[in-house]
Amino acid sequence: MGRQLVRLAASLMVTFGAGVLDAAAEPLPVAPPSQSLVQPVWGFNGSCDPIDFDSVKIEYRRDRGYQLTITGIKPYTNMEVSLNSEPYDRKPAYLRTVVVGCVKNFIVVPLETPYYLTVPLAPLMGTKGVEIVGASGSVRRNAPRR
């Protein structure tokens, strides 16, 4: 250990001429890349991004009224899926609602898992219907007739 430290110190050449710092050392060995099951996610509180969905359905349930059901596949097992609506001064014809997947910690497990999300339709409705937006597309559904 002591010999390696002396060799490393000898290989570092530091000069302070004209305000320039010059250091030379042997390059560190680089491990070959491997596919890990656990990957880091950047961000202080995690990461949130729009994700894709497979189907959008409006269903009537006698005890709950009209419900919006969205299904799809999330890319990470520990991802939480939610809907975020854009704020408007007046209700538009189709209220835009984005399907968002959030990872709350810094480590994710990249295992595709199906998700199933059911929410009340009334808060997401515009004057004509609802527009669901994902990562690669959007779908509009008209309001059900009462």
Side-chain angles (χ1 to χ4, degrees):
M1 177 75 176
R3 243 184 219 160
Q4 290 175 348
L5 200 53
V6 169
R7 192 172 12 176
L8 180 62
S11 68
L12 291 175
M13 297 167 39
V14 179
T15 59
F16 293 98
V20 175
L21 177 65
D22 183 23
E26 295 178 16
L28 296 173
V30 178
S34 63
Q35 280 289 30
S36 175
L37 189 61
V38 177
Q39 298 176 351
V41 172
W42 303 107
F44 185 67
N45 292 327
S47 174
C48 292
D49 294 307
I51 63 171
D52 285 325
F53 55 89
D54 293 334
S55 68
V56 175
K57 296 179 186 173
I58 296 176
E59 302 171 331
Y60 180 76
R61 298 190 180 166
R62 190 175 346 148
D63 57 339
R64 296 183 190 157
Y66 284 101
Q67 300 287 308
L68 178 68
T69 302
I70 299 172
T71 61
I73 297 189
K74 57 186 178 179
Y76 307 115
T77 300
N78 57 339
M79 178 177 273
E80 295 179 15
V81 180
S82 62
L83 298 177
N84 290 345
S85 296
E86 294 182 1
Y88 291 96
D89 292 336
R90 291 181 285 154
K91 268 193 173 180
Y94 292 92
L95 186 69
R96 277 181 69 131
T97 303
V98 182
V99 181
V100 177
C102 293
V103 178
K104 300 288 184 188
N105 56 11
F106 295 105
I107 298 175
V108 295
V109 180
L111 182 63
E112 291 184 343
T113 308
Y115 69 87
Y116 182 86
L117 184 63
T118 300
V119 295
L121 180 64
L124 304 175
M125 287 291 296
T127 57
K128 291 185 178 180
V130 63
E131 179 180 8
I132 305 299
V133 179
S136 62
S138 65
V139 171
R140 283 187 176 181
R141 295 284 188 250
N142 291 325
R145 296 186 181 169
R146 298 177 188 197

